[in-house]
Amino acid sequence: MRRRTKAPASPLPQRDGIDAARLRLPEDPEGLWGTVREHLLDRYAGAVGRERVEEMVREGRFVGADGRPVGAGEPYAAGRHLWFHRDFPAEERVPFEVSVVYRDERIVVADKPHFLATMPRGRHVTETAMARLRRDLGLTALQPAHRLDRLTAGLVLFVVRAEDRGAYQTLFGDRLVRKEYEAVAAYDPAVALPVTVRSRIEKESGVMAAREVAGEPNSESRVELVERRGALARYRLVPETGRTHQLRVHMNALGLPILHDPVYPVVREDGPEDFGRPLQLLARTLAFTDPYTGRERHFESGLALGGLALSGPG
């Protein structure tokens, strides 16, 4: 079996906490590309336009393993690695900070605020918890071990070194991490609590809302009432599985949609973020046995939900 050769390290530093993109020039048995520039035009002109690719080549934005810019007339060489930084779209800054709950040589546990994505995805690239923490802490290899929804606040476990990431990801994949969430939603005396909700949840790519469908359950959540204050209440949510939007879907199914949820029960029209109305859902605790030290780890979020204040005294 042919062993894959490890790609060389990037000669470009991170920009705004984001790694440079790497590409490997493919084989060219038909001799389509006489120069590297011709291949780059074929590869990227459809995405960013021919003029932009030409401009990036002129500016020396594409570099080889030695860090030297690729010249417009350099001959094509299959198998060569190149690096470049993509043009990041302008992003509105989320006006809340990421705080560090715990840090050692292997992990960082952070409190992610509402509205901030965990890691780059779609139109959220530099305005992500991962990018901010890389910049603020100087930890260029930092990666999340799991993902927390952009609209949800609370604890996220990050791994400092790439070689340690798999062990912590496995904890989440094998359901060996105990997670508790807190939510604010309407109070309904007709809903008997505590209750365990089980259902089959499916999420289609490109569709905002997940949905419950008939079939074998693939999701399970425990819902408990913590306190009532007027028309609202605080709930403890304990997910046994990790389907997309699971807690939001299950609370909505109980007739208790989480306060300020822009998707359940009704998808609101896309528009500017309303930072004054965050989804009232918080990842409150993380607990697990550390795969390297064997120590029992337990972390508590320092954030708080403000939704109950809206209902006045109970």
Side-chain angles (χ1 to χ4, degrees), residues 261-288:
D261 194 324
V263 176
Y264 307 97
V266 178
V267 177
R268 297 177 193 163
E269 291 185 10
D270 194 19
E273 299 278 19
D274 186 349
F275 294 121
R277 292 172 59 86
L279 174 71
Q280 292 296 286
L281 180 62
L282 173 67
R284 169 64 67 191
T285 69
L286 278 179
F288 56 90

Side-chain angles (χ1 to χ4, degrees), residues 89 91 119-126:
E91 297 180 50
M119 61 188 297
R121 186 179 184 184
R123 57 192 174 95
H124 305 286
V125 181
T126 57

Side-chain angles (χ1 to χ4, degrees), residues 35-202:
T35 64
V36 176
R37 168 184 161 277
E38 290 172 358
H39 172 74
L40 294 175
L41 285 168
D42 274 0
R43 187 165 187 155
Y44 295 117
V48 300
R50 186 180 184 89
E51 290 185 5
R52 183 58 186 143
V53 178
E54 295 275 22
E55 185 178 24
M56 291 176 70
V57 172
R58 288 195 302 271
E59 293 174 349
R61 294 276 298 276
F62 297 94
V63 305
D66 58 2
R68 289 191 311 105
V70 174
E74 285 195 35
Y76 187 84
R80 182 183 180 185
H81 290 93
L82 302 180
W83 288 262
F84 68 100
H85 280 293
R86 293 186 172 92
D87 293 325
F88 301 140
E91 297 180 50
E92 181 180 12
R93 189 180 190 280
V94 175
F96 311 112
E97 301 304 320
V98 184
S99 60
V100 174
V101 175
Y102 175 83
R103 175 182 177 182
D104 64 22
E105 71 278 5
R106 283 197 172 94
I107 63 173
V108 171
V109 180
D111 254 339
K112 184 188 78 66
H114 294 102
F115 301 103
L116 191 67
T118 300
M119 61 188 297
R121 186 179 184 184
R123 57 192 174 95
H124 305 286
V125 181
T126 57
E127 271 301 285
T128 59
M130 185 191 81
R132 283 197 189 181
L133 288 170
R134 282 181 171 184
R135 298 192 299 263
D136 295 347
L137 303 180
L139 299 174
T140 58
L142 195 73
Q143 291 277 352
H146 63 116
R147 180 177 289 163
L148 191 63
D149 281 350
R150 186 179 69 86
L151 297 183
T152 304
L155 297 177
V156 181
L157 174 64
F158 290 86
V159 182
V160 174
R161 302 181 299 201
E163 60 266 30
D164 295 336
R165 190 183 185 202
Y168 290 100
Q169 283 183 314
T170 297
L171 292 178
F172 288 89
D174 291 347
R175 301 180 188 175
L176 299 176
V177 179
R178 179 170 176 80
K179 297 179 282 185
E180 290 190 5
Y181 290 70
E182 189 175 291
V184 173
Y187 173 73
D188 185 350
V191 179
L193 298 174
V195 65
T196 297
V197 183
R198 299 181 182 89
S199 68
R200 184 167 192 83
I201 295 176
E202 293 185 355

